[in-house]
Amino acid sequence: MIIPQDIATAIAPLETDDLETAVATALRAHLDRLANDAALRGERLPFWLRRDSDETGDLSDQLRDKVTQRRANEAER
């Protein structure tokens, strides 16, 4: 896999030899910036991009709970 130079330059200062760690760190930083920007505009990120540290359980369980909540809210209308 060849990484474009602009991306390699951006993740190089992360000081890790592990590409997976570097990419995950850069992606987390990017998502944090998106969340902060959205919060400043009074918006919220879609639930699949939010990183809630207090949530536990499998991702499929979380998604199923979100769908159940949404259907319950729609049924109340």
Side-chain angles (χ1 to χ4, degrees):
M1 177 176 161
I2 298 175
I3 299 173
Q5 185 60 40
D6 60 327
I7 295 173
T9 302
I11 64 174
L14 297 176
E15 299 179 4
T16 180
D17 291 333
D18 181 25
L19 179 61
E20 183 177 354
T21 301
V23 170
T25 301
L27 184 55
R28 283 189 180 101
H30 177 69
L31 290 176
D32 287 342
R33 281 191 301 275
L34 288 177
N36 290 337
D37 291 347
L40 290 174
R41 292 189 308 268
E43 300 171 357
R44 293 178 52 179
L45 284 176
F47 73 89
W48 60 87
L49 288 179
R50 280 188 237 136
R51 294 188 321 138
D52 299 328
S53 60
D54 59 341
E55 288 192 23
T56 58
D58 185 49
L59 180 60
S60 61
D61 292 339
Q62 293 175 21
L63 292 174
R64 184 174 39 255
D65 291 344
K66 298 280 185 185
V67 169
T68 301
Q69 290 172 358
R70 177 173 282 173
R71 287 181 181 159
N73 289 339
E74 289 173 354
E76 291 176 0
R77 294 180 190 173

